[in-house]
Coordinates of all heavy atoms in Angstrom, one line a residue:
M1 N 77.4 106.9 76.2 CA 78.0 106.0 77.2 C 77.0 105.9 78.4 O 76.4 106.9 78.8 CB 79.3 106.5 77.7 CG 80.0 105.7 78.7 SD 81.6 106.4 79.3 CE 82.6 106.5 77.8
S2 N 76.9 104.8 79.0 CA 76.1 104.6 80.1 C 76.7 103.6 81.1 O 77.6 102.9 80.8 CB 74.7 104.1 79.8 OG 74.8 102.8 79.2
I3 N 76.3 103.7 82.4 CA 76.7 102.7 83.4 C 75.5 102.1 84.0 O 74.4 102.8 84.1 CB 77.6 103.3 84.5 CG1 76.9 104.4 85.2 CG2 79.0 103.7 83.9 CD1 77.6 104.9 86.4
T4 N 75.6 100.9 84.5 CA 74.5 100.2 85.2 C 75.1 99.7 86.5 O 76.2 99.1 86.5 CB 74.0 99.1 84.3 OG1 73.5 99.6 83.1 CG2 72.8 98.4 85.1
T5 N 74.4 99.9 87.6 CA 74.9 99.4 88.9 C 74.2 98.1 89.2 O 73.2 97.7 88.6 CB 74.6 100.4 90.0 OG1 73.2 100.4 90.2 CG2 75.1 101.8 89.7
D6 N 74.8 97.4 90.2 CA 74.3 96.1 90.6 C 72.9 96.3 91.3 O 72.3 95.3 91.7 CB 75.2 95.2 91.4 CG 75.7 95.9 92.7 OD1 75.3 97.0 93.0 OD2 76.5 95.2 93.4
K7 N 72.5 97.5 91.6 CA 71.2 97.9 92.1 C 70.2 98.0 91.0 O 69.0 98.3 91.3 CB 71.3 99.2 92.9 CG 72.1 99.1 94.2 CD 72.1 100.5 94.9 CE 72.8 100.5 96.2 NZ 72.8 101.8 96.9
G8 N 70.6 97.8 89.7 CA 69.7 97.8 88.6 C 69.4 99.2 88.1 O 68.6 99.4 87.3
K9 N 70.2 100.2 88.5 CA 70.0 101.6 88.0 C 71.0 101.9 86.9 O 72.1 101.5 86.9 CB 70.3 102.6 89.2 CG 69.3 102.4 90.4 CD 68.7 103.6 90.8 CE 67.7 103.3 91.9 NZ 67.2 104.5 92.5
R10 N 70.4 102.6 85.9 CA 71.2 102.9 84.7 C 71.3 104.4 84.6 O 70.4 105.1 84.9 CB 70.5 102.4 83.5 CG 71.3 102.7 82.2 CD 70.5 102.3 80.9 NE 71.1 102.7 79.7 CZ 71.1 103.9 79.2 NH1 70.5 104.9 79.8 NH2 71.8 104.2 78.1
F11 N 72.6 104.9 84.3 CA 72.8 106.3 84.2 C 73.6 106.7 82.9 O 74.5 105.9 82.5 CB 73.7 106.8 85.4 CG 73.1 106.5 86.7 CD1 73.4 105.3 87.4 CD2 72.3 107.4 87.4 CE1 72.8 105.0 88.6 CE2 71.8 107.2 88.6 CZ 72.0 106.0 89.3
D12 N 73.2 107.8 82.3 CA 74.0 108.3 81.2 C 75.2 109.1 81.8 O 75.0 109.9 82.7 CB 73.1 109.3 80.3 CG 72.1 108.5 79.6 OD1 72.3 107.3 79.2 OD2 71.0 109.0 79.4
V13 N 76.4 108.8 81.2 CA 77.6 109.4 81.8 C 78.4 110.0 80.7 O 78.3 109.6 79.5 CB 78.4 108.4 82.6 CG1 77.6 107.8 83.8 CG2 78.9 107.3 81.7
R14 N 79.2 111.0 81.1 CA 80.1 111.6 80.1 C 81.4 110.7 80.0 O 81.9 110.5 78.9 CB 80.6 113.0 80.6 CG 79.5 114.1 80.4 CD 80.1 115.5 80.7 NE 79.1 116.5 80.3 CZ 78.1 116.9 81.1 NH1 77.9 116.4 82.2 NH2 77.3 117.8 80.6
W15 N 81.8 110.1 81.2 CA 82.9 109.2 81.2 C 82.9 108.4 82.5 O 82.2 108.8 83.5 CB 84.2 109.9 81.0 CG 84.4 111.1 81.8 CD1 84.3 112.4 81.3 CD2 84.8 111.3 83.1 NE1 84.5 113.3 82.3 CE2 84.9 112.6 83.5 CE3 85.2 110.3 84.1 CZ2 85.3 113.1 84.7 CZ3 85.5 110.8 85.4 CH2 85.6 112.2 85.6
A16 N 83.5 107.3 82.5 CA 83.7 106.4 83.7 C 85.0 105.6 83.5 O 85.1 104.9 82.5 CB 82.5 105.5 83.8
W17 N 86.0 105.8 84.4 CA 87.2 105.1 84.2 C 87.9 104.9 85.6 O 87.6 105.6 86.5 CB 88.2 105.8 83.2 CG 88.3 107.3 83.5 CD1 87.6 108.3 83.1 CD2 89.3 107.9 84.4 NE1 88.0 109.5 83.5 CE2 89.1 109.3 84.4 CE3 90.4 107.4 85.1 CZ2 89.9 110.2 85.0 CZ3 91.1 108.3 85.8 CH2 90.9 109.7 85.8
G18 N 88.7 103.9 85.6 CA 89.5 103.6 86.8 C 90.3 102.4 86.5 O 90.1 101.7 85.5
P19 N 91.2 102.0 87.4 CA 91.6 102.8 88.6 C 92.4 104.0 88.2 O 93.2 104.0 87.2 CB 92.4 101.8 89.4 CG 92.9 100.8 88.4 CD 91.9 100.7 87.3
A20 N 92.2 105.1 89.0 CA 92.9 106.3 88.7 C 93.7 106.8 89.8 O 93.3 106.7 91.0 CB 91.8 107.4 88.4
G21 N 94.9 107.4 89.5 CA 95.7 108.0 90.5 C 96.3 107.0 91.5 O 96.1 105.8 91.4
E22 N 96.9 107.6 92.5 CA 97.5 106.8 93.5 C 96.5 106.0 94.4 O 96.8 104.9 94.9 CB 98.3 107.7 94.5 CG 99.5 108.3 93.8 CD 100.3 109.3 94.8 OE1 100.0 109.2 95.9 OE2 101.1 110.0 94.2
T23 N 95.3 106.5 94.5 CA 94.3 105.9 95.3 C 93.5 104.7 94.6 O 92.9 103.9 95.2 CB 93.2 106.9 95.7 OG1 92.6 107.4 94.5 CG2 93.8 108.0 96.5
G24 N 93.7 104.7 93.3 CA 93.0 103.7 92.4 C 91.5 103.9 92.4 O 90.7 102.9 92.2
R25 N 91.1 105.1 92.5 CA 89.7 105.4 92.5 C 89.0 105.1 91.1 O 89.6 105.2 90.1 CB 89.4 106.9 92.8 CG 89.7 107.3 94.2 CD 89.5 108.7 94.4 NE 89.6 109.0 95.9 CZ 89.7 110.2 96.4 NH1 89.6 111.3 95.6 NH2 89.8 110.4 97.6
L26 N 87.7 104.8 91.2 CA 86.8 104.8 90.1 C 86.2 106.2 89.9 O 85.6 106.6 90.9 CB 85.8 103.7 90.2 CG 84.6 103.8 89.1 CD1 85.2 103.6 87.7 CD2 83.6 102.7 89.5
M27 N 86.4 106.8 88.8 CA 85.9 108.2 88.6 C 84.7 108.1 87.6 O 84.9 107.5 86.5 CB 87.0 109.1 88.0 CG 88.2 109.2 89.0 SD 87.9 109.9 90.6 CE 87.3 111.5 90.2
I28 N 83.7 108.8 87.9 CA 82.5 108.8 87.0 C 82.0 110.3 87.0 O 81.9 111.0 87.9 CB 81.4 107.9 87.6 CG1 81.8 106.5 87.7 CG2 80.1 108.0 86.8 CD1 80.9 105.6 88.5
E29 N 81.6 110.7 85.8 CA 80.9 111.9 85.6 C 79.5 111.7 85.0 O 79.4 111.3 83.8 CB 81.6 113.0 84.8 CG 80.9 114.4 84.9 CD 81.7 115.5 84.4 OE1 83.0 115.5 84.5 OE2 81.1 116.4 83.8
L30 N 78.5 111.9 85.7 CA 77.1 111.8 85.2 C 76.8 113.0 84.4 O 77.2 114.1 84.7 CB 76.1 111.7 86.4 CG 76.3 110.6 87.5 CD1 75.3 110.8 88.6 CD2 76.2 109.2 86.8
K31 N 76.0 112.8 83.3 CA 75.4 113.9 82.7 C 74.5 114.6 83.6 O 74.2 114.1 84.7 CB 74.8 113.5 81.4 CG 75.7 113.0 80.3 CD 75.0 112.6 79.0 CE 76.1 112.1 78.0 NZ 75.4 111.7 76.8
A32 N 73.9 115.7 83.2 CA 73.1 116.5 84.1 C 72.2 115.8 84.9 O 71.4 114.9 84.4 CB 72.4 117.6 83.3
D33 N 72.2 115.9 86.2 CA 71.3 115.3 87.2 C 70.9 116.3 88.2 O 71.8 116.7 89.0 CB 71.9 114.0 87.8 CG 71.0 113.2 88.6 OD1 69.9 113.7 89.1 OD2 71.2 112.0 88.7
D34 N 69.7 116.8 88.2 CA 69.3 117.9 89.1 C 68.7 117.4 90.5 O 68.3 118.2 91.3 CB 68.3 118.8 88.5 CG 67.0 118.2 88.0 OD1 66.9 116.9 88.2 OD2 66.2 118.9 87.4
R35 N 68.8 116.1 90.7 CA 68.4 115.6 92.0 C 69.3 116.1 93.1 O 70.5 116.4 92.8 CB 68.3 114.1 92.0 CG 67.3 113.5 91.1 CD 67.4 112.0 91.1 NE 68.7 111.4 90.7 CZ 69.2 110.3 91.2 NH1 68.5 109.5 92.0 NH2 70.4 109.9 90.7
P36 N 68.9 116.1 94.3 CA 69.8 116.4 95.4 C 70.9 115.4 95.5 O 70.8 114.3 95.2 CB 68.9 116.3 96.7 CG 67.5 116.5 96.2 CD 67.5 115.9 94.8
L37 N 72.1 116.0 95.8 CA 73.3 115.1 95.9 C 73.2 113.9 96.8 O 73.6 112.9 96.5 CB 74.6 115.9 96.2 CG 75.0 116.9 95.2 CD1 76.2 117.7 95.8 CD2 75.4 116.3 93.9
S38 N 72.4 114.1 97.9 CA 72.2 113.0 98.8 C 71.4 111.8 98.1 O 71.7 110.7 98.4 CB 71.4 113.5 100.0 OG 70.1 114.0 99.6
Q39 N 70.5 112.1 97.2 CA 69.8 111.1 96.5 C 70.7 110.4 95.5 O 70.7 109.1 95.4 CB 68.6 111.7 95.8 CG 67.5 112.0 96.7 CD 66.2 112.6 95.9 OE1 66.2 112.6 94.7 NE2 65.3 113.2 96.6
I40 N 71.5 111.1 94.8 CA 72.5 110.5 93.9 C 73.5 109.7 94.6 O 73.8 108.5 94.2 CB 73.2 111.7 93.1 CG1 72.2 112.5 92.3 CG2 74.3 111.0 92.2 CD1 72.8 113.7 91.7
A41 N 74.0 110.2 95.8 CA 74.9 109.4 96.6 C 74.3 108.1 97.0 O 75.0 107.1 97.0 CB 75.3 110.2 97.8
A42 N 73.1 108.1 97.4 CA 72.4 106.9 97.8 C 72.4 105.8 96.7 O 72.4 104.6 97.0 CB 71.0 107.1 98.3
D43 N 72.4 106.3 95.5 CA 72.4 105.3 94.4 C 73.7 104.6 94.2 O 73.8 103.5 93.5 CB 72.0 106.0 93.0 CG 70.6 106.4 92.9 OD1 69.8 105.8 93.6 OD2 70.3 107.3 92.1
F44 N 74.8 105.2 94.7 CA 76.1 104.6 94.5 C 76.8 104.0 95.8 O 77.7 103.2 95.7 CB 77.0 105.7 93.9 CG 76.7 105.9 92.5 CD1 75.8 106.9 92.1 CD2 77.3 105.2 91.5 CE1 75.5 107.1 90.8 CE2 77.0 105.4 90.2 CZ 76.1 106.4 89.8
E45 N 76.3 104.4 96.9 CA 76.9 103.9 98.2 C 76.6 102.4 98.3 O 75.5 102.0 98.2 CB 76.4 104.7 99.4 CG 76.9 106.1 99.5 CD 76.4 106.9 100.6 OE1 75.3 106.6 101.1 OE2 77.1 107.7 101.1
G46 N 77.7 101.6 98.5 CA 77.6 100.2 98.7 C 77.4 99.4 97.4 O 77.2 98.2 97.5
V47 N 77.5 100.0 96.3 CA 77.4 99.3 95.0 C 78.7 98.5 94.8 O 79.8 99.0 95.0 CB 77.3 100.3 93.8 CG1 77.5 99.6 92.5 CG2 75.9 100.9 93.9
A48 N 78.5 97.2 94.6 CA 79.7 96.3 94.4 C 80.2 96.1 93.0 O 81.3 95.8 92.7 CB 79.5 95.0 95.1
L49 N 79.2 96.4 92.0 CA 79.6 96.2 90.6 C 78.9 97.3 89.7 O 77.7 97.5 89.8 CB 79.1 94.8 90.2 CG 79.5 94.3 88.8 CD1 80.9 94.1 88.7 CD2 78.7 93.1 88.4
I50 N 79.8 97.9 88.9 CA 79.3 98.9 87.9 C 79.8 98.5 86.6 O 81.0 98.1 86.4 CB 79.9 100.3 88.3 CG1 79.4 100.7 89.7 CG2 79.5 101.3 87.2 CD1 79.9 102.0 90.2
T51 N 78.9 98.4 85.6 CA 79.2 98.0 84.2 C 79.0 99.2 83.3 O 78.1 99.9 83.4 CB 78.2 96.9 83.8 OG1 78.3 95.9 84.8 CG2 78.6 96.4 82.4
R52 N 80.1 99.5 82.5 CA 80.1 100.6 81.6 C 79.8 100.0 80.2 O 80.4 99.0 79.8 CB 81.4 101.3 81.5 CG 81.5 102.5 80.6 CD 82.9 103.1 80.4 NE 83.7 102.1 79.7 CZ 85.1 102.3 79.7 NH1 85.7 103.2 80.4 NH2 85.8 101.4 79.0
Q53 N 78.9 100.6 79.5 CA 78.6 100.3 78.1 C 78.9 101.5 77.2 O 78.3 102.5 77.4 CB 77.1 99.9 77.9 CG 76.6 98.8 78.8 CD 76.2 99.2 80.2 OE1 75.8 100.3 80.4 NE2 76.4 98.2 81.1
D54 N 79.8 101.2 76.3 CA 80.2 102.3 75.3 C 80.7 101.7 74.0 O 81.7 100.9 74.1 CB 81.2 103.2 76.0 CG 81.6 104.4 75.1 OD1 80.7 105.3 74.9 OD2 82.7 104.4 74.6
E55 N 80.1 102.1 72.9 CA 80.6 101.5 71.7 C 81.9 102.2 71.2 O 82.6 101.5 70.3 CB 79.5 101.8 70.6 CG 79.2 103.2 70.3 CD 78.0 103.3 69.4 OE1 77.0 102.6 69.5 OE2 78.1 104.2 68.4
N56 N 82.3 103.3 71.7 CA 83.6 103.9 71.3 C 84.8 103.5 72.2 O 85.8 103.2 71.6 CB 83.5 105.4 71.3 CG 82.4 105.9 70.3 OD1 82.4 105.5 69.2 ND2 81.6 106.9 70.7
E57 N 84.6 103.5 73.5 CA 85.7 103.2 74.4 C 85.7 101.7 74.8 O 86.6 101.2 75.4 CB 85.6 104.1 75.7 CG 86.0 105.5 75.3 CD 86.0 106.4 76.6 OE1 86.3 105.9 77.7 OE2 85.7 107.5 76.5
G58 N 84.6 101.0 74.5 CA 84.5 99.7 74.9 C 83.7 99.5 76.3 O 83.7 100.4 77.1
D59 N 83.3 98.3 76.4 CA 82.6 98.0 77.7 C 83.6 97.7 78.7 O 84.7 97.2 78.4 CB 81.6 96.8 77.5 CG 80.5 97.2 76.5 OD1 80.3 98.4 76.2 OD2 79.8 96.2 76.0
A60 N 83.2 97.9 80.0 CA 84.1 97.6 81.1 C 83.3 97.2 82.4 O 82.1 97.7 82.5 CB 85.1 98.8 81.4
T61 N 83.9 96.5 83.3 CA 83.2 96.2 84.5 C 84.2 96.6 85.6 O 85.4 96.3 85.6 CB 83.0 94.6 84.6 OG1 82.1 94.3 83.5 CG2 82.3 94.3 85.9
F62 N 83.6 97.3 86.6 CA 84.4 97.8 87.8 C 83.8 97.1 89.0 O 82.6 97.4 89.4 CB 84.2 99.3 87.9 CG 84.7 100.0 86.6 CD1 83.8 100.6 85.7 CD2 86.0 100.2 86.3 CE1 84.1 101.2 84.5 CE2 86.5 100.8 85.1 CZ 85.5 101.4 84.3
A63 N 84.6 96.3 89.7 CA 84.1 95.6 90.8 C 84.7 96.0 92.1 O 86.0 96.4 92.1 CB 84.3 94.1 90.6
G64 N 84.0 96.1 93.2 CA 84.5 96.3 94.5 C 84.6 97.8 94.9 O 85.1 98.1 96.0
Y65 N 84.1 98.7 94.1 CA 84.2 100.1 94.4 C 83.0 100.5 95.3 O 82.0 101.1 94.8 CB 84.3 101.0 93.2 CG 85.6 100.8 92.5 CD1 85.7 99.8 91.5 CD2 86.7 101.6 92.8 CE1 86.9 99.7 90.8 CE2 87.9 101.4 92.1 CZ 88.0 100.4 91.2 OH 89.2 100.3 90.5
T66 N 83.0 100.1 96.5 CA 81.8 100.2 97.4 C 81.7 101.5 98.2 O 80.7 101.8 98.8 CB 81.8 99.0 98.4 OG1 83.0 99.0 99.1 CG2 81.6 97.7 97.6
Q67 N 82.8 102.3 98.3 CA 82.9 103.5 99.1 C 82.9 104.7 98.3 O 83.8 105.0 97.6 CB 84.1 103.4 100.0 CG 84.1 102.3 101.0 CD 85.4 102.3 101.9 OE1 86.5 102.7 101.4 NE2 85.2 102.0 103.1
L68 N 81.8 105.5 98.4 CA 81.7 106.8 97.8 C 82.5 107.8 98.7 O 82.2 108.0 99.8 CB 80.3 107.2 97.7 CG 80.0 108.6 97.1 CD1 80.5 108.6 95.6 CD2 78.6 108.9 97.2
V69 N 83.6 108.3 98.1 CA 84.4 109.2 98.8 C 84.3 110.7 98.4 O 84.8 111.5 99.1 CB 85.9 108.8 98.7 CG1 86.1 107.4 99.4 CG2 86.4 108.7 97.3
R70 N 83.6 110.9 97.3 CA 83.5 112.3 96.8 C 82.3 112.4 95.8 O 82.1 111.5 95.0 CB 84.7 112.8 96.1 CG 84.6 114.3 95.9 CD 86.0 114.9 95.4 NE 86.4 114.1 94.2 CZ 86.5 114.6 93.0 NH1 86.1 115.9 92.7 NH2 86.9 113.9 92.0
I71 N 81.5 113.5 96.0 CA 80.5 113.8 95.0 C 80.4 115.3 94.9 O 80.5 116.0 95.9 CB 79.1 113.2 95.4 CG1 78.1 113.5 94.4 CG2 78.7 113.7 96.8 CD1 76.8 112.7 94.6
E72 N 80.4 115.8 93.6 CA 80.4 117.2 93.4 C 79.6 117.5 92.1 O 79.6 116.8 91.2 CB 81.9 117.5 93.1 CG 82.2 119.0 92.8 CD 83.7 119.2 92.5 OE1 84.4 118.3 92.5 OE2 84.0 120.4 92.4
R73 N 78.8 118.6 92.3 CA 78.0 119.1 91.1 C 78.8 120.3 90.5 O 79.2 121.2 91.2 CB 76.6 119.5 91.6 CG 75.7 119.9 90.4 CD 74.4 120.4 90.8 NE 73.8 119.7 91.9 CZ 73.0 118.6 91.8 NH1 72.8 118.1 90.6 NH2 72.5 118.0 92.8
F74 N 78.8 120.3 89.2 CA 79.4 121.4 88.4 C 78.4 122.4 87.9 O 77.2 122.0 87.8 CB 80.3 120.9 87.3 CG 81.4 120.0 87.7 CD1 81.4 118.7 87.4 CD2 82.5 120.6 88.4 CE1 82.5 117.9 87.8 CE2 83.6 119.8 88.8 CZ 83.5 118.4 88.5
A75 N 78.8 123.6 87.6 CA 77.8 124.6 87.0 C 77.2 124.1 85.8 O 76.0 124.5 85.5 CB 78.6 125.9 86.7
T76 N 77.8 123.2 85.1 CA 77.2 122.6 83.8 C 76.1 121.6 84.1 O 75.4 121.2 83.2 CB 78.2 121.9 83.0 OG1 78.8 120.9 83.8 CG2 79.3 122.9 82.6
G77 N 75.9 121.2 85.4 CA 74.9 120.3 85.8 C 75.4 118.9 86.0 O 74.7 118.0 86.5
G78 N 76.6 118.6 85.5 CA 77.2 117.3 85.6 C 77.5 117.0 87.1 O 77.8 117.9 87.8
V79 N 77.6 115.8 87.4 CA 77.9 115.4 88.8 C 79.0 114.4 88.7 O 79.0 113.4 88.0 CB 76.7 114.7 89.5 CG1 77.0 114.2 90.9 CG2 75.5 115.7 89.5
Q80 N 80.1 114.7 89.4 CA 81.3 113.8 89.4 C 81.3 113.0 90.7 O 81.1 113.6 91.8 CB 82.6 114.7 89.2 CG 83.8 113.8 88.9 CD 85.0 114.7 88.7 OE1 85.7 115.0 89.6 NE2 85.1 115.1 87.4
L81 N 81.6 111.8 90.6 CA 81.8 110.9 91.8 C 83.1 110.2 91.8 O 83.7 109.9 90.7 CB 80.7 109.8 91.7 CG 79.2 110.2 91.5 CD1 78.6 109.8 90.2 CD2 78.4 109.7 92.7
A82 N 83.6 110.0 93.0 CA 84.8 109.2 93.1 C 84.5 108.1 94.1 O 83.9 108.3 95.2 CB 85.9 110.0 93.7
L83 N 84.8 106.8 93.7 CA 84.6 105.7 94.5 C 85.9 104.9 94.7 O 86.7 104.9 93.8 CB 83.5 104.7 93.9 CG 82.1 105.3 93.8 CD1 81.9 105.7 92.3 CD2 81.1 104.4 94.1
E84 N 86.0 104.3 95.9 CA 87.2 103.5 96.2 C 86.8 102.2 96.7 O 85.7 101.9 97.2 CB 88.0 104.2 97.3 CG 88.7 105.5 96.9 CD 89.5 106.1 98.0 OE1 89.6 105.6 99.1 OE2 90.1 107.2 97.7
Q85 N 87.7 101.2 96.5 CA 87.5 99.9 97.0 C 87.8 99.9 98.5 O 88.7 100.6 99.1 CB 88.5 98.9 96.3 CG 88.1 98.8 94.9 CD 89.0 97.8 94.1 OE1 90.2 97.7 94.5 NE2 88.5 97.1 93.2
A86 N 87.0 99.1 99.2 CA 87.2 99.0 100.7 C 88.5 98.4 101.1 O 89.0 97.5 100.4 CB 86.1 98.1 101.3
V87 N 89.1 99.0 102.0 CA 90.4 98.5 102.5 C 90.2 97.4 103.5 O 89.4 97.6 104.5 CB 91.2 99.7 103.2 CG1 92.6 99.1 103.7 CG2 91.5 100.7 102.1
T88 N 90.7 96.3 103.3 CA 90.6 95.2 104.3 C 91.8 95.0 105.1 O 92.9 95.2 104.7 CB 90.3 93.8 103.5 OG1 91.4 93.6 102.6 CG2 89.1 93.9 102.7
A89 N 91.5 94.8 106.4 CA 92.7 94.7 107.4 C 93.2 93.3 107.5 O 92.6 92.4 107.1 CB 92.2 95.2 108.7

């Protein structure tokens, strides 16, 4: 499974799904990425469109998830991200 951002970056992921929970977050877990979290975060902050490509779960498009609200690295090397849609007043 992979995702591609509207910044033209492609990432191999374990999973990507949303909206999740009460917040409607988009949840993504990247496969091992040993770059500093700040560099990974920069790849996702402000992204307006993420496309998932997967032959098993199907392709999906996630639009409007522009706010990175959480990033975490696990001991396995995977990096989990949570993105939310901007709240408009």
Side-chain angles (χ1 to χ4, degrees):
M1 178 182 303
S2 66
I3 59 170
T4 304
T5 69
D6 61 0
K7 293 181 178 181
K9 300 226 177 176
R10 184 185 171 283
F11 301 91
D12 290 325
V13 298
R14 287 189 170 85
W15 45 263
W17 51 271
E22 293 177 14
T23 61
R25 289 179 173 172
L26 170 60
M27 303 297 297
I28 299 169
E29 187 170 326
L30 304 176
K31 292 184 178 177
D33 190 332
D34 60 359
R35 296 180 298 150
L37 291 178
S38 59
Q39 288 180 9
I40 298 168
D43 286 337
F44 287 90
E45 288 178 331
V47 168
L49 187 68
I50 297 173
T51 305
R52 180 185 73 194
Q53 300 84 30
D54 184 68
E55 61 186 46
N56 297 318
E57 292 185 29
D59 297 345
T61 301
F62 305 102
Y65 292 91
T66 57
Q67 296 181 322
L68 178 65
V69 295
R70 187 172 58 108
I71 184 168
E72 178 180 9
R73 185 185 318 275
F74 297 112
T76 59
V79 176
Q80 192 175 93
L81 304 116
L83 295 104
E84 291 183 359
Q85 293 180 326
V87 177
T88 56

